[in-house]
Structure formats: C-alpha cells, structure tokens
Amino acid sequence: MINARQGVPPVYSRRADSSVPRSGLNCLTCQNRNKAEWCGLADEEIRLLNKDKRPRFYPPNHIVFAQGDAWDGLYCIEAGTVAMFHTDAEGRSILVRLGHAGQTMGYQAFFSGGVHNVTARVIQAATMCRISGEFLERTLARSPSLARRYLSRLAGEVVSAEEALLRQSALSVRVRLVHLLLSLMERFGQAGDEAHGHVVMALPVARKDLAAMLGTRPETLARTIAELRADGMVRFDGRCVVVPNERALLDELEPMSA
Amino acid sequence: MINARQGVPPVYSRRADSSVPRSGLNCLTCQNRNKAEWCGLADEEIRLLNKDKRPRFYPPNHIVFAQGDAWDGLYCIEAGTVAMFHTDAEGRSILVRLGHAGQTMGYQAFFSGGVHNVTARVIQAATMCRISGEFLERTLARSPSLARRYLSRLAGEVVSAEEALLRQSALSVRVRLVHLLLSLMERFGQAGDEAHGHVVMALPVARKDLAAMLGTRPETLARTIAELRADGMVRFDGRCVVVPNERALLDELEPMSA
DNA sequence: CGGTTCCTTGATAACGATCAAAGGCCGTGG
DNA sequence: CCACGGCCTTTGATCGTTATCAAGGAACCG
C-alpha cells in the first residue's frame, strides 16, 4: 500500500560531490572503530574492510539514498549527521532516526529485501564510507559474531520502534517533545556551568525536521515550544537550546508526583 | 523511561494448564514446518529441535510471558493465536502484533538483551512448543542460515514498524481501520459466494483488542465501525465481519481518484 | 539584492479522548 | 440449568488537542 519512491523531495543531489575523501581514512585508526558494528572484527578483517570501503564527503541536504532505491551498499558514518525519513504515497513523512558518527546506515534494506524504505538526507556535512555488498556478504559468512551484532541491533530497533509507536498514540506533542529533547541532550548536550542540571545544546536539526521527528506539524511544534518557554522549562534561540533545570523536564514525564 | 513490568494486567495464569501436549507433536511432521524460521534446517537439526522442544496447551487469556520478564525461551506456535501488547508506565497499551500458527515468538527479547518488551496473551486457544536458549544458541552457531533468516525477519519488522508509525501519525482512525481489516482479511477472510469481492471473516480479536491494534479507544472504534456500516462498507455482527465489496474498501485508501 | 524557504502567530474546524450510562454477552458459581 | 456479577460494547455529550488555512516576518542562498 504505502508505495515507495513517491513524495520524496527532488533535492536528489545538489552537486554530487566527488569521491575524494577528506583525507586518507583508515578503518584501523578510525575514531569510530570501537563504536561501529565492525568493532568485533579481527584486524585481518578490518584490513579487508579498509580496502573495500570507499570514503566520500557529503554536503548538507545531499540525498545519500532514497526510499524505493535498490540497495547499493552500507554507509559507515565517519563524521556528520544524517536523517532518515519514511514517506508515504501522499508525501507525508516522518523522521525515523538520526545517524551519527560511528553508526552504519542501510543494513535494514540489505537484510530485508534490497530496497531502501527510508530516504537518507545529510543534515550536517558528513564523511561516510560506502561498503559493498560483496564485502558484507563475505564477512558475515566468515565472522558469525558480525551477524550476531546485527541481530542485536535490529532487535533493539524493533523494541524502540514499538516504544515510539506507543508514545505516538498515547502521549501529547508536549510530552513527546520533552522526551525528544532529553534524548537529544544525551548526545548533543553540553553540561552548563550552573549548579543543578543546567544544560546547553546545539540542535542538529531544523524545526521542520524536529516536527517530523515528533510526527507533528511545524506550526504545532512552534506553539509547543512557545508553551514550554512560557513555563520556563527551556530557552530556544535558533538552534541553540538551554535547559535551566533538567529535573523540571524529567518531572514532565511523571504524571504522578509525591 | 517507559518502564517495564507495569500496568500489565494481573490475569497472569488462569489455571496454568499442564504441560501435556494435545498429542505427541513432532517437528519433522509439523504442519508448520515450512512456515517457521526453522524451515531451512537440515533434518538432523530438526531432530534435535524435536528433542529440545516442550509442547504445551495454553487456554485463552493465558499470559505466556509478560513485559519485563526475563527471557525464558522461544515459543513456536503450532495452532491458535497470541496477541503481543506493549505497555507503558501508565498502563496504556497497544497491540503490537498477532502471532499465529507457524510463527515463533520471543526472539526479539533473545536478541535484544534478555528481557521481554511485550506481554504475550493467548486470544485463541493455542498449542505452542517452547524452545530453549541453549538449543537456539547451539543451532545459530551451527547453521548460519538460521541467523540470516532471523536477520531478514527482524529487518522486515523494523520496516513494518516504521510504516505503522507513519500510519499512526498521518492517518485517521477510519483509514487505519480499513487498512487493518484488509490485512486481517488476508489471513482470516473467506471468499464469499457473490460476484465482486464479497468477503467474510471471523475476527480473531475482541473489540477492545482491535482498538488496541489501532492505537485508539474502544469507544472511538465503535463509532468508526458504526460510520463504516452506515456507509455500507462493512457489516459487523459480533466477531463476524462481512465486506460486500472489497474494492470499495480499497478505494478508501486512495485519496485521489480519476 | 531578490527570491525562496523557514519559522512563528492567529483563527478555525475536525478529530479523537474522556466521562457517563445503558444494554448485552459470557463465564462462574450456585 | 439458571441466576448473578462483571466485563465488554455501544451511544451520547462534551472538551481538549492538533491539523489546517492564512499571513507576516526572518533567515538564507544564489
């Protein structure tokens, strides 16, 4: 029913940047080596990975792959941020997840049947290494632990997708926004100077995309932010967010108090 | 945040039925042998599976495992229907998926960390075989194709969970209900006698659970059904549903016509 | 500097949740 | 087997939330 490759914005590739890596990236010394799924591989396998991978720079708004495209490789993010959108036949879309340094994109399509079911758009300039299907296939056969690692990862995604579904149907936009801010702060937040839970964060995404992460409209998001600001929970200035008291945000999530 | 093992109804086990199988079930001759994940295994492995599995009968409303429980085995459904609910700290829950003959339940928890994130409740009397972790572990190590099969299955679940999320935030209850009826009809529908897409179905679930599948309330579901009936799209009589014209239902899903 | 896209605010309407109550079905226990 | 109680289902009334339409202003890019 929900038909692929439709409603996908035609931004396709503004200036498809050349495949010249920022510098000769090396998997053996990659800063993300211990974060990626690849971390369990033996040095020998990593050396093969290093030979297989094709590094490349991607500017903001570049579409790495689009929903409906045939699978063409794994993308290991060395730096930057990539948003993955799922879009329906009428063009409505939600931001399903953010990919950041150390994560690998595109394995869902590899394992599920060879067609991407999300559109990956770069939102903060990124360098990524493309990994071929042949390499993945070969390494899966040789290193059972890699399959195991992907099994855990996919199972974890199923769990979090189910939680997202429940949040979507049971929680208000305001509460969902608080959830989202708290989880973004874990990754993008900087502890502030003041005493109690003062946190500052540079939002990685624009409002429009933040709304898409909540499964709501930009108008509603703007209103909800205004409301939160009026209550003194947060201060927004463009993409800069200040949370004076993290505890107060957490209290939003617990309907029952003392 | 969403804390496990809370709000789970205390029905826990009305008369925990004895572990006597309906008859000596045999994996080698199981009617579902070709449907289950196990279908790719060699006869030798199936023989081991047959020795490992513990068959048992489960009456309706029996809780097979609850959200928050430690993982205690895989459950291969030989017959019957089992509903899996995900529940949040406030007791709100949604029906995440239905398990039916040939499917295996509980592998998400096995792969994701050993804790069930759904409650499995029998909704149509079932017989299921419990499969131990040791067996699964051993067989995964021996048969790489099994891991591969689970990878596809989990990846497919991620895809469908993402679609569900989008439906939830973009589609009305009415349209979601039509989607659900159409998909249930694929499994539970019987082609009727009349000419054009006349279909009859015995609903496997009660209204309450149907509402939980849509992420809405029973009251809203009742109203939506009444509305659909008034439009002549369906006739409901208890758990019996008649769709006079399947085409008309399909047209509900396509906003744009000629 | 011009155009476009993004963000915000306002007004309005539709949708779905909630509270309340009545009728029906079912399983249980007498 | 029947009677009882409880749960499920339906309908009504109302309210809150969120989408939608519209417009002004700000930021960004070429």
Side-chain angles (χ1 to χ4, degrees):
Chain A
M1 60 197 73
I2 289 192
N3 239 318
R5 207 63 160 86
Q6 216 165 347
V8 173
V11 196
Y12 220 105
S13 127
R14 59 157 81 193
R15 190 188 339 121
D17 251 271
S18 74
S19 46
V20 181
R22 208 160 58 178
S23 65
L25 293 180
N26 184 337
C27 296
L28 291 155
T29 59
C30 178
Q31 52 173 329
N32 303 311
R33 168 148 185 210
N34 292 321
K35 281 197 273 177
E37 279 71 19
W38 316 104
C39 67
L41 296 184
D43 276 4
E44 171 56 19
E45 300 287 346
I46 296 279
R47 245 185 297 276
L48 291 171
L49 170 60
N50 193 41
K51 260 178 50 189
D52 182 87
K53 69 130 197 334
R54 292 278 170 271
R56 183 171 155 187
F57 173 77
Y58 295 84
N61 291 316
H62 186 89
I63 305 291
V64 184
F65 50 77
Q67 187 174 328
D69 281 0
W71 186 83
D72 66 332
L74 244 33
Y75 294 84
C76 187
I77 305 173
E78 193 263 335
T81 310
V82 184
M84 280 159 269
F85 295 86
H86 186 77
T87 305
D88 74 7
E90 268 65 60
R92 290 168 291 231
S93 63
I94 51 174
L95 203 169
V96 167
R97 60 184 160 264
L98 288 181
H100 67 296
Q103 293 185 332
T104 300
M105 291 196 314
Y107 53 90
Q108 294 91 348
F110 176 79
F111 290 118
S112 73
V115 173
H116 286 291
N117 80 311
V118 294
T119 296
R121 185 167 74 219
V122 175
I123 56 172
Q124 289 181 332
T127 56
M128 295 190 267
C129 296
R130 187 158 104 51
I131 298 165
S132 72
E134 296 78 47
F135 174 81
L136 179 54
E137 203 66 80
R138 219 179 324 122
T139 311
L140 277 172
R142 262 197 268 189
S143 304
S145 76
L146 184 62
R148 201 50 181 275
R149 225 173 294 271
Y150 272 112
L151 279 168
S152 313
R153 170 164 275 266
L154 282 166
E157 274 180 38
V158 169
V159 170
S160 60
E162 281 163 5
E163 282 172 357
L165 193 57
L166 183 51
R167 274 200 301 273
Q168 193 67 30
S169 45
L171 270 39
S172 69
V173 169
R174 174 170 176 141
V175 176
R176 297 200 315 261
L177 175 58
V178 171
H179 267 282
L180 179 57
L181 288 176
L182 287 169
S183 77
L184 287 175
M185 275 166 30
E186 284 178 13
R187 198 189 313 164
F188 300 99
Q190 309 260 330
D193 35 29
E194 303 186 18
H196 216 54
H198 185 90
V199 187
V200 183
M201 162 170 65
L203 276 179
V205 296
R207 298 301 158 95
K208 196 181 48 152
D209 294 335
L210 207 58
M213 294 180 87
L214 296 172
T216 188
R217 296 310 173 127
E219 297 96 316
T220 302
L221 174 64
R223 278 182 242 281
T224 308
I225 287 175
E227 198 184 297
L228 237 40
R229 182 175 38 211
D231 293 353
M233 316 280 306
V234 294
R235 290 199 304 267
F236 272 78
D237 180 26
R239 290 210 180 170
C240 179
V241 185
V242 180
V243 175
N245 180 2
E246 190 168 0
R247 183 71 220 155
L249 270 191
L250 285 165
D251 289 343
E252 280 279 315
L253 306 180
E254 318 258 343
M256 61 295 176
S257 42
Chain B
M1 61 195 76
I2 289 193
N3 241 318
R5 207 61 161 85
Q6 218 167 346
V8 173
V11 195
Y12 219 106
S13 128
R14 62 154 81 191
R15 192 187 335 124
D17 251 88
S18 73
S19 46
V20 181
R22 207 161 58 177
S23 66
L25 293 180
N26 184 338
C27 296
L28 291 155
T29 60
C30 178
Q31 53 172 327
N32 303 311
R33 170 150 183 208
N34 292 320
K35 281 197 272 177
E37 278 72 19
W38 317 105
C39 69
L41 295 185
D43 277 3
E44 171 56 19
E45 299 288 347
I46 296 281
R47 245 184 298 276
L48 291 172
L49 170 58
N50 193 41
K51 261 177 50 189
D52 182 86
K53 67 131 197 335
R54 291 277 171 272
R56 183 171 156 187
F57 174 76
Y58 296 83
N61 291 317
H62 186 88
I63 304 290
V64 184
F65 50 77
Q67 187 174 328
D69 281 359
W71 186 84
D72 65 333
L74 244 33
Y75 293 84
C76 187
I77 305 173
E78 193 262 336
T81 311
V82 184
M84 279 158 269
F85 295 86
H86 185 76
T87 305
D88 73 8
E90 267 65 60
R92 288 168 293 231
S93 63
I94 51 173
L95 203 169
V96 167
R97 61 183 160 266
L98 288 180
H100 67 296
Q103 292 186 333
T104 301
M105 291 194 314
Y107 54 90
Q108 295 90 348
F110 177 79
F111 290 118
S112 74
V115 173
H116 285 293
N117 80 311
V118 293
T119 296
R121 184 168 75 219
V122 175
I123 56 172
Q124 290 180 332
T127 56
M128 295 190 267
C129 297
R130 188 158 102 53
I131 298 166
S132 72
E134 297 78 46
F135 175 81
L136 179 55
E137 203 66 81
R138 218 178 326 122
T139 311
L140 278 172
R142 262 197 268 189
S143 304
S145 76
L146 184 62
R148 201 51 182 276
R149 224 173 294 272
Y150 272 111
L151 280 168
S152 315
R153 170 163 274 267
L154 282 166
E157 272 179 41
V158 169
V159 170
S160 60
E162 282 163 6
E163 283 173 356
L165 193 57
L166 183 52
R167 275 201 301 273
Q168 193 67 28
S169 46
L171 270 37
S172 68
V173 168
R174 174 172 176 139
V175 176
R176 291 191 331 251
L177 174 58
V178 171
H179 267 281
L180 179 57
L181 288 176
L182 287 169
S183 77
L184 288 175
M185 274 166 28
E186 283 178 14
R187 198 191 310 164
F188 300 99
Q190 309 260 328
D193 36 29
E194 303 185 19
H196 215 53
H198 185 90
V199 187
V200 184
M201 162 170 64
L203 277 180
V205 295
R207 298 301 157 93
K208 196 182 48 154
D209 295 334
L210 206 58
M213 293 181 89
L214 296 171
T216 186
R217 295 312 175 121
E219 296 97 315
T220 301
L221 174 63
R223 281 182 239 281
T224 309
I225 288 176
E227 197 185 297
L228 237 41
R229 184 175 36 211
D231 293 353
M233 317 279 306
V234 295
R235 291 198 303 268
F236 272 78
D237 180 26
R239 291 210 180 170
C240 179
V241 185
V242 180
V243 176
N245 181 1
E246 190 168 1
R247 183 69 221 156
L249 270 192
L250 284 165
D251 289 343
E252 280 280 314
L253 307 181
E254 318 257 343
M256 61 296 176
S257 40

